[in-house]
Amino acid sequence: MQGTTLSFSNIHRHGELFGKIMEARKPTQLPSNWEDTGTGNHDFDQYDTPQSRWLAIQSDDGDVLASLRLTPTTAQSGVYSYMIRDAQKGLLEDVPKDLLFEDAPVDEGTWEMTRANLKPGMFGVDRDVVRYRLLQQLSETAKTEKIAKFVALLPTNWKSWALDHDFKIKPAGRVWRVGGRDLQAHILSVG
């Protein structure tokens, strides 16, 4: 099992991995009432920009088992910044404005974490091992990018497995039910 963090500066070194990440997250990201922003079998949106990072955990045969996207809270691409902040500003029609209890941060040491994805059909120990490896990759990326905190829109069960690493996690918004899943904004502090 291998963990990788992609950026626009190293994406060329990893062959088809970026496309595989977009393909792996497609079936798990879009509720049936949302507009499909991807193309074909791939999920992507306006927040997949050169400022973002994409973490992936791959099996030995190259299958994407887990992934997520990180975006600096200082990001700007046209009228967009990052998803949680833009929702709060009313730019995203299908996402509630009250995802966070406070104003969305804009801080160099704080990044947004979204599009967390675990391959469907994994259970028990296999799922736990992949989750653990994804958090390990997140921790490594936080050190490399000098990230102190993440603001994250994640399934509510993240709290239990983020505690196994160097993250302090606290709810930062209300529970939002979408596509059959309960999501909630969290703040993850590193170390």
Side-chain angles (χ1 to χ4, degrees), residues 25 45-49 51-55 68-75 80-88 92 95 99-100 104-116 138 141 147-154 176 184-188:
R25 76 183 200 193
D45 61 26
Q46 65 268 36
Y47 302 106
D48 291 307
T49 72
Q51 297 165 84
S52 296
R53 304 292 183 269
W54 300 269
L55 279 60
L68 57 84
R69 176 180 63 207
L70 303 177
T71 304
T73 60
T74 56
Y80 299 106
S81 59
Y82 64 94
M83 192 175 81
I84 293 172
R85 183 168 184 244
D86 287 351
Q88 201 173 59
L92 303 177
V95 183
L99 284 178
L100 288 175
V106 177
D107 173 68
E108 293 217 3
T110 303
W111 287 44
E112 178 188 57
M113 180 188 345
T114 54
R115 292 299 209 243
L138 182 63
T141 302
I147 301 169
K149 284 194 285 188
F150 296 98
V151 57
L153 183 59
L154 299 167
W176 174 44
Q184 186 175 28
H186 292 84
I187 299 292
L188 283 77

Side-chain angles (χ1 to χ4, degrees), residues 135-151:
L135 286 168
Q136 190 176 34
Q137 189 68 32
L138 182 63
S139 183
E140 291 169 15
T141 302
K143 288 176 186 149
T144 301
E145 298 289 345
K146 297 177 178 57
I147 301 169
K149 284 194 285 188
F150 296 98
V151 57

Side-chain angles (χ1 to χ4, degrees), residues 28-41:
T28 63
Q29 294 302 322
L30 292 173
S32 59
N33 63 329
W34 279 14
E35 180 182 341
D36 185 351
T37 57
T39 182
N41 293 329

Side-chain angles (χ1 to χ4, degrees), residues 2-191:
Q2 175 183 341
T4 305
T5 300
L6 290 181
S7 69
F8 265 55
S9 65
N10 73 3
I11 204 168
H12 65 283
R13 294 186 205 136
H14 296 281
E16 298 176 354
L17 181 55
F18 184 73
K20 286 181 177 183
I21 291 169
M22 298 296 134
E23 190 172 17
R25 76 183 200 193
K26 174 89 177 207
T28 63
Q29 294 302 322
L30 292 173
S32 59
N33 63 329
W34 279 14
E35 180 182 341
D36 185 351
T37 57
T39 182
N41 293 329
H42 297 84
D43 170 62
F44 66 89
D45 61 26
Q46 65 268 36
Y47 302 106
D48 291 307
T49 72
Q51 297 165 84
S52 296
R53 304 292 183 269
W54 300 269
L55 279 60
I57 304 303
Q58 293 179 270
S59 66
D60 292 337
D61 63 357
D63 194 20
V64 174
L65 303 174
S67 64
L68 57 84
R69 176 180 63 207
L70 303 177
T71 304
T73 60
T74 56
Q76 194 68 41
S77 182
V79 299
Y80 299 106
S81 59
Y82 64 94
M83 192 175 81
I84 293 172
R85 183 168 184 244
D86 287 351
Q88 201 173 59
K89 291 167 45 179
L91 294 176
L92 303 177
E93 185 177 303
D94 295 326
V95 183
K97 290 180 183 180
D98 63 345
L99 284 178
L100 288 175
F101 296 137
E102 299 178 3
D103 288 342
V106 177
D107 173 68
E108 293 217 3
T110 303
W111 287 44
E112 178 188 57
M113 180 188 345
T114 54
R115 292 299 209 243
N117 172 52
L118 288 171
K119 182 179 178 178
M122 285 189 300
F123 300 100
V125 172
D126 290 340
R127 189 173 178 91
D128 290 343
V129 167
V130 171
R131 283 177 173 171
Y132 183 85
R133 185 62 188 99
L134 182 62
L135 286 168
Q136 190 176 34
Q137 189 68 32
L138 182 63
S139 183
E140 291 169 15
T141 302
K143 288 176 186 149
T144 301
E145 298 289 345
K146 297 177 178 57
I147 301 169
K149 284 194 285 188
F150 296 98
V151 57
L153 183 59
L154 299 167
T156 54
N157 67 346
W158 256 71
K159 185 173 184 175
S160 61
W161 50 281
L163 295 174
D164 292 339
H165 278 340
D166 295 333
F167 299 110
K168 295 176 183 81
I169 185 168
K170 69 176 185 175
R174 70 174 179 89
V175 174
W176 174 44
R177 186 146 183 88
V178 61
R181 295 188 312 167
D182 288 333
L183 301 177
Q184 186 175 28
H186 292 84
I187 299 292
L188 283 77
S189 299
V190 179

